[in-house]
Amino acid sequence: MPNEIFHNFGAAVSALAQQLAGAKRLLVGITGPTARGKSMFARQLHKRLNKKGTPTHIFEGDRFVIPHARRVKDASFPDGIYEVERMRETVKSLFLRQPFQAPFYVKDGWATGRISVAMGAKVLPSVVVEECRPKMIAPHNELMIDPQTGDVLEQILPGDEIWIFDSELSLFYEDLRSLYNKTVGLRASRDVRRRNFLGAVSRGERYPLLTPTEAIAKIEGFWRRDDEMIAKTVELADLLVVLE
């Protein structure tokens, strides 16, 4: 059960930032069903902590979303949607502060893809380097090419920073839950999430290639499977944000 429950998004961010300010080598997990505000919470917490002089990085679980072109037909959630084992190893690496490699992703509608180069390429084209550089977690990390897929990878070297793992699957696997120093769960009614999601789509702020019809289909399709499996893990978080 959560130790703290907030009904105000900003108040929850402020309280957690105050608790974590000055800390080192912590791993924070943020979970919640699709379109609940995980990424916004992570970004605001990241900004607050860095402003307080506490070095903090965000790692997005969406980096391990399998591109549509590589998924099996009728792929199921989560194993057919995510590179689950690779993601699990990343959480362990963040906990142990061990180097790991992670791909970059692009999400522009139904299609989720990777930033890639031609198979067999030995050197990254300058235009690809420029595309990836703003997406890198830290400027001292290195870029490389996955020889099997052509995906551009970031070699990440965790240090003493606070790391925020932003993923709906952050608390899904029981053996990973003990690795976090602090966890946050976000919950909202389906109507609130639906309204916010469709509004963002109509403004071109999220999934800009989705038509309104496709956006509704996504809510009624993937969201339903997502909710059935993820909603219950929200209650396992230390800090719960409820907006209904």
Side-chain angles (χ1 to χ4, degrees):
M1 295 293 293
N3 297 321
E4 300 175 275
I5 300 177
F6 289 83
H7 295 272
N8 181 284
F9 195 93
V13 173
S14 296
L16 186 55
Q18 187 66 32
Q19 293 174 24
L20 301 182
K24 294 182 178 180
R25 300 181 68 88
L26 297 186
L27 179 57
V28 178
I30 298 181
T31 190
T34 301
R36 177 52 296 266
K38 296 185 298 299
S39 295
M40 182 183 296
F41 193 98
R43 288 194 298 268
Q44 290 190 13
L45 179 61
H46 171 264
K47 182 178 180 179
R48 291 282 187 93
L49 286 171
N50 279 294
K51 189 174 182 179
K52 290 176 178 290
T54 304
T56 306
H57 294 313
I58 299 173
F59 189 88
E60 299 169 311
D62 281 353
R63 285 207 184 198
F64 298 126
V65 171
I66 301 171
H68 280 255
R70 299 181 193 172
R71 296 180 191 175
V72 299
K73 185 178 180 181
D74 299 323
S76 61
F77 176 84
D79 299 79
I81 306 298
Y82 285 89
E83 293 179 295
V84 169
E85 287 309 311
R86 190 176 187 179
M87 187 190 69
R88 287 165 56 82
E89 288 305 313
T90 289
V91 175
K92 294 175 184 177
S93 294
L94 288 172
F95 171 75
L96 296 170
R97 306 290 154 157
Q98 295 178 341
F100 64 95
Q101 297 172 355
F104 294 94
Y105 77 102
V106 289
K107 180 159 49 178
D108 55 13
W110 280 112
T112 300
R114 297 276 173 87
I115 299 177
S116 302
V117 298
M119 291 287 291
K122 301 297 183 182
V123 179
L124 283 170
S126 59
V127 65
V128 175
V129 173
E130 291 306 309
E131 182 182 6
C132 293
R133 195 181 303 281
K135 303 175 186 292
M136 291 176 64
I137 288 177
H140 62 262
N141 292 343
E142 297 181 5
L143 295 176
M144 56 194 64
I145 303 171
D146 187 323
Q148 296 181 327
T149 63
D151 293 340
V152 181
L153 304 175
E154 180 178 6
Q155 175 79 7
I156 298 173
L157 310 171
D160 288 337
E161 316 92 346
I162 289 178
W163 281 85
I164 302 170
F165 185 61
D166 166 20
S167 173
E168 59 193 345
L169 294 174
S170 61
L171 297 182
F172 188 71
Y173 301 100
E174 184 176 359
D175 61 313
L176 298 184
R177 294 171 193 161
S178 63
L179 304 185
Y180 301 104
N181 301 98
K182 194 75 173 182
T183 54
V184 179
L186 294 111
R187 188 178 74 196
S189 69
R190 192 177 182 85
D191 287 342
V192 168
R193 291 164 55 213
R194 176 189 174 99
R195 183 171 64 250
N196 291 344
F197 180 77
L198 292 177
V201 169
S202 67
R203 294 189 299 270
E205 297 172 359
R206 180 166 182 154
Y207 297 100
L209 297 187
L210 285 183
T211 66
T213 299
E214 289 172 331
I216 291 172
K218 187 177 182 70
I219 291 171
E220 298 307 322
F222 175 76
W223 275 29
R224 193 171 300 281
R225 300 196 306 274
D226 179 19
D227 288 0
E228 290 173 354
M229 304 181 75
I230 300 303
K232 58 187 177 183
T233 71
V234 173
E235 307 301 324
L236 302 172
D238 301 318
L239 185 154
L240 179 63
V241 183
V242 182
L243 296 176
E244 296 180 314

